[in-house]
Amino acid sequence: MLKILNFKSLLEKKIQINETTYELYYRVPIDFEYKAGQFVVIKFNPTYTRAYSIVEVKDNLLKLLIDVKPMGLASKYFIDTKINDEINILGPYGIFNIKNVVENKVFIATGSGIAPFIPMIYSLINDNSFNGSIYLLFGTRTSELDIAYIYFKDIDSSKFKYVQCVTREDPINEYSFKGRVNTVVSDILDNKYSNLNIDINNTEFYLCGSNEMINDTTVVLKSLGVSNIFMEKYG
């Protein structure tokens, strides 16, 4: 079992990805270890905490992907926080990780729900013993608002396909489809797209994002006979 730490950390870097999304980088102790898909708890004050999935830990810098769209106490804190501001971090926690019950993987996300999938997907791509297929379906209103693509655009692997599900503009390429993720995944599994072929009996489905997206997509998957479904709800 990985050791759970409780430590203070300074904000070392802050990058605004788009109007409502930030990357934040915090220094972690040298003995900080995590499994892809786990999260940390950020304590803003003695009575208020929030959990955030770990995007990456590199050179002892913890990267978090923060969506401030909810505009709660945490959102306002992250909008205003500056370099060298101190917070308390606890973790890692969580069991939302790769199960390997069957070989192939489909990851379905919206918004900052992409965060735990970034290390999970990279761990599979870099695993020479993994011979399955990896699909990522990301839901976005427009290509410009697609925050997930920046993390996967440089992947050159026959194992991996990035599938964009866009609702407010026309698709941009052969792996971009019009509609919400639950609609697109239903069409894929109904074999409506000749360039995508997913065997539901040999595939694990991982969902992360809003409660609404997860609930709607779970209904679709179960109605089509999918049994290997794993999820993490945000909000």
Side-chain angles (χ1 to χ4, degrees):
M1 181 177 293
L2 296 175
K3 183 179 180 181
I4 296 174
L5 304 180
N6 184 345
F7 57 95
K8 295 186 182 301
S9 182
L10 301 180
L11 178 64
E12 296 206 5
K13 186 161 61 171
K14 180 179 182 180
I15 299 173
Q16 188 164 5
I17 302 299
N18 62 22
E19 187 176 337
T20 61
T21 312
Y22 294 84
E23 284 182 346
L24 299 180
Y25 295 75
Y26 290 97
R27 182 70 56 183
V28 297
I30 194 169
D31 58 341
F32 185 93
E33 295 181 288
Y34 79 105
K35 285 186 176 181
Q38 289 190 302
F39 63 90
V40 292
V41 171
I42 304 294
K43 183 178 287 188
F44 303 96
N45 60 51
T47 60
Y48 192 79
T49 62
R50 287 295 300 272
Y52 296 96
S53 292
I54 299 167
V55 173
E56 182 184 60
V57 176
K58 185 177 181 180
D59 298 327
N60 295 114
L61 276 182
L62 165 71
K63 182 196 294 189
L64 302 176
L65 186 66
I66 308 295
D67 180 6
V68 299
K69 196 160 52 263
M71 288 308 295
L73 290 177
S75 297
K76 292 174 183 176
Y77 172 84
F78 284 123
I79 290 171
D80 295 335
T81 191
K82 298 177 178 60
I83 302 303
N84 291 325
D85 283 353
E86 185 179 72
I87 58 170
N88 201 67
I89 299 178
L90 298 86
Y93 297 102
I95 57 172
F96 185 57
N97 45 44
I98 297 166
K99 307 302 180 185
N100 288 323
V101 177
V102 292
E103 188 172 42
N104 303 312
K105 321 294 179 190
V106 172
F107 298 90
I108 302 172
T110 53
S112 59
I114 192 61
F117 293 160
I118 297 169
M120 291 167 82
I121 290 171
Y122 272 93
S123 70
L124 290 170
I125 289 172
N126 294 324
D127 182 356
N128 292 329
S129 66
F130 176 75
N131 297 311
S133 298
I134 309 164
Y135 290 87
L136 170 60
L137 278 67
F138 186 76
T140 181
R141 287 175 292 172
T142 65
S143 294
E144 185 179 2
L145 295 174
D146 186 343
I147 62 169
Y149 183 68
I150 63 174
Y151 297 100
F152 300 100
K153 60 185 176 63
D154 296 325
I155 290 180
D156 181 17
S157 172
S158 58
K159 298 178 185 177
F160 177 74
K161 286 187 175 66
Y162 184 91
V163 180
Q164 184 188 74
C165 310
V166 60
T167 58
R168 296 191 182 178
E169 66 181 21
D170 292 330
I172 59 173
N173 59 43
E174 63 177 327
Y175 293 112
S176 177
F177 302 97
K178 187 71 174 285
R180 298 171 63 195
V181 288
N182 59 301
T183 301
V184 174
V185 74
S186 176
D187 290 343
I188 291 172
L189 297 183
D190 280 337
N191 299 312
K192 292 185 179 180
Y193 304 119
S194 59
N195 58 337
L196 296 171
N197 183 22
I198 297 174
D199 175 11
I200 63 172
N201 296 317
N202 194 31
T203 302
E204 298 170 352
F205 289 79
Y206 296 82
L207 283 62
C208 191
S210 69
N211 289 344
E212 179 185 11
M213 183 279 286
I214 288 181
N215 292 340
D216 291 346
T217 305
T218 300
V219 169
V220 168
L221 293 175
K222 288 184 176 180
S223 71
L224 294 170
V226 175
S227 57
N228 293 307
I229 305 172
F230 311 98
M231 65 190 71
E232 186 100 309
K233 295 185 178 183
Y234 278 19

